[in-house]
Amino acid sequence: MKALVAAAGLLVSSAAGAVDFDATQTRRILGHGAWPPAQMQTQTADRTNRYSGNVDAIRLGAMLFGEPRLSGNGALSCQTCHRPEHGWSEPKARSEGLQRQDRNAPGLLNVRLQRWFGWDGANDSLWAAGIRPIVKDTEMGGSAAATAKLLREDAPLACLARRVEPAYAAMDDEAALVLAAKALAAFQETLSSPRTAFDEFRDALAANDRAGMARYPEAAQRGLALFTGRGQCGACHTGANFSNGEFHDTGLVFFLNDPDRKPGTPRRVDPGRHDGIAQLKAAANPFNLLGRYNDDPGGVASIPVRHVVQQHRNWGEFKVPSLRSLPATAPYMHDGSKATLRDVILHYSELDEDRLHSDGEAILKPLKLSEAEIADLQAFLESLSAPDDTAARYESLRREAAQCR
Ligand code: HEC
Ligand code: HEC
């Protein structure tokens, strides 16, 4: 029996040798773990949000996430565009609130690992990112006053809000809106993606466990070699969450694909990060981490907003998205212009260098991939996902919440 196992071990270890990763690639692969990262544990609270990790706030947030009364027409909730069964994203290329939005709804799994929020990073906290959709007139068209009234008058919501903040009924409308947004953030912090086939491979590589490594499909191994080698993908998609959290230009078509454009009006361009910095730092924005609602004033979380400066090169830059759990969140890119993962890979393969910033970094080059390489890269990207239980956890949180008396 022992001999048999040893023989089987030998066989797999030669299969694991299908791809030879050099020292640089091995170091890069190890850098995409471990998963889950320590920050994912609920004990690591967001210090800018005093309700982060608070069980009643998480329940209140789950209730509010599916609450259409937060919207002006009583029909739109966060869940309209961030659907649990689509990785908390939606299949539409561009979201439709009260009007069509310019951008694709990002998935929300692992959202707590981000530093900037929105494709343009117009917000520097998860809680502030929940305020914009509520009050923006083209999105949900709600208001601070209506949110405050709802928290006071709906029995289960009022019960939860009181547990979270006993004096909440005396808060002014804006403070009540922030309370709602911080509860929404506490809930969204619980959305995390599970370990994947890639994570098993990465840990096996770290442990030099050849049998463990051999369980990772060869196509995914070859795709990983491209990702960490010639593809240079890891230059921007770094770390365990496959994002450096910053902003880049990937040479997508400049003009917005705009079916609503009236004949004779100019084609629109999404300024991306350029505009995001302006919104974040606007003097009239009370919700950034320099404002009075930051529960950790002077803490490290507010360093980025203090130091970020708008530069010409930010024009047309968008946030580097995580690459975990992508199959559920199609279509892709900030404008939803790529229907499938294959389309994204073809974009990087055929890249129009003339469309790229001249003053940006010259990382991206058309990769001119073969059909086999395209399939390998796709197999690798797919190996970064696994079924998650967040939709079921959301439903059970909402059931618990509805019982608050
Ligand atoms: C009409 C569709 C729609 C609704 C409703 C909506 N969102 Fe979004 N959400 C989007 C879009 C589109 C973006 C990208 C916005 C941008 O880049 O400017 C986004 C971005 C976000 C982000 C940033 C994620 C990231 O990775 O940067 C968070 C967090 C978020 N939404 C939470 C919420 C919450 C909480 C609600 C409810 C209060 C909500 N959204 C309602 C469409 C929607
Ligand atoms: C220069 C930095 C950079 C490099 C290098 C890079 N990416 Fe990206 N990636 C981005 C940015 C920025 C976006 C979002 C672009 C947008 O929406 O405008 C993106 C988007 C994506 C998306 C879409 C994800 C989603 O949720 O919409 C995938 C998939 C992807 N990249 C895979 C790759 C692969 C594979 C490679 C290597 C061939 C690669 N990237 C190289 C910066 C980069």
Side-chain angles (χ1 to χ4, degrees), residues 233 236-237 248 250 252 318 321 323 326 332-334 344 348 367:
C233 311
C236 303
H237 297 281
H248 296 271
T250 55
L252 289 174
F318 293 90
L323 301 180
L326 287 183
Y332 304 102
M333 303 306 212
H334 73 275
V344 179
Y348 285 112
L367 294 172

Side-chain angles (χ1 to χ4, degrees), residues 104 106-107 119 226-227 231-237 244 246-252 316-323 326 329 331-336 341 344-345 348-349 361 363-364 367 369 377 380-381:
N104 179 254
W119 285 104
L226 255 173
F227 189 92
Q232 300 278 22
C233 311
C236 303
H237 297 281
N244 62 8
E246 289 300 326
F247 302 82
H248 296 271
D249 173 23
T250 55
L252 289 174
E317 287 184 338
F318 293 90
K319 192 170 70 180
V320 178
S322 164
L323 301 180
L326 287 183
T329 65
Y332 304 102
M333 303 306 212
H334 73 275
D335 55 0
L341 286 176
V344 179
I345 295 168
Y348 285 112
S349 183
E361 67 286 80
I363 305 169
L364 288 166
L367 294 172
L369 301 169
L377 207 42
F380 165 65
L381 290 176

Side-chain angles (χ1 to χ4, degrees), residues 79 83 127 134 171 188 221 285 288 291 313 348 372 384:
Q79 203 188 319
R83 289 159 51 182
W127 53 268
I134 298 176
M171 282 178 166
Q188 293 170 85
Q221 293 195 32
N285 177 8
N288 67 27
R313 57 162 294 183
Y348 285 112
L384 296 175

Side-chain angles (χ1 to χ4, degrees), residues 10-178:
L10 261 176
L11 271 177
V12 258
S13 73
S14 66
V19 176
D20 277 327
F21 296 100
D22 62 26
T24 308
Q25 280 177 314
T26 300
R27 188 171 35 77
R28 287 180 179 163
I29 295 167
L30 297 183
H32 290 299
W35 192 264
Q39 204 194 332
M40 217 58 214
Q41 262 110 62
T42 37
Q43 302 91 294
T44 323
D46 170 2
R47 297 163 66 103
T48 74
N49 175 358
R50 69 178 68 200
Y51 315 119
S52 170
N54 173 318
V55 178
D56 291 308
I58 293 170
R59 290 188 182 128
L60 176 60
M63 286 293 262
L64 291 172
F65 198 86
E67 177 52 80
R69 287 175 293 173
L70 287 178
S71 67
N73 68 356
L76 297 160
S77 70
C78 313
Q79 203 188 319
T80 308
C81 306
H82 299 284
R83 289 159 51 182
E85 70 280 18
H86 288 281
W88 305 83
S89 160
E90 64 168 340
K92 283 181 191 153
R94 286 166 50 194
S95 284
E96 282 166 59
L98 293 175
Q99 287 172 31
R100 195 195 305 269
Q101 305 296 301
D102 287 350
R103 300 189 184 147
N104 179 254
L108 299 177
L109 289 174
N110 312 318
V111 68
R112 69 177 304 168
L113 298 179
Q114 313 263 355
R115 174 177 349 140
W116 305 109
F117 300 85
W119 285 104
D120 57 4
N123 295 113
D124 60 352
S125 72
L126 182 53
W127 53 268
I131 293 177
R132 186 214 65 239
I134 298 176
V135 300
K136 198 171 139 193
D137 55 359
T138 61
E139 215 161 336
M140 289 167 72
S143 67
T147 305
K149 187 163 180 284
L150 185 65
L151 286 184
R152 282 193 292 267
E153 294 179 0
D154 178 84
L157 291 177
C159 168
L160 287 162
R162 203 176 313 115
R163 284 196 195 166
V164 173
E165 190 61 68
Y168 90 97
M171 282 178 166
D172 66 27
D173 292 348
E174 188 176 274
L177 175 67
V178 172

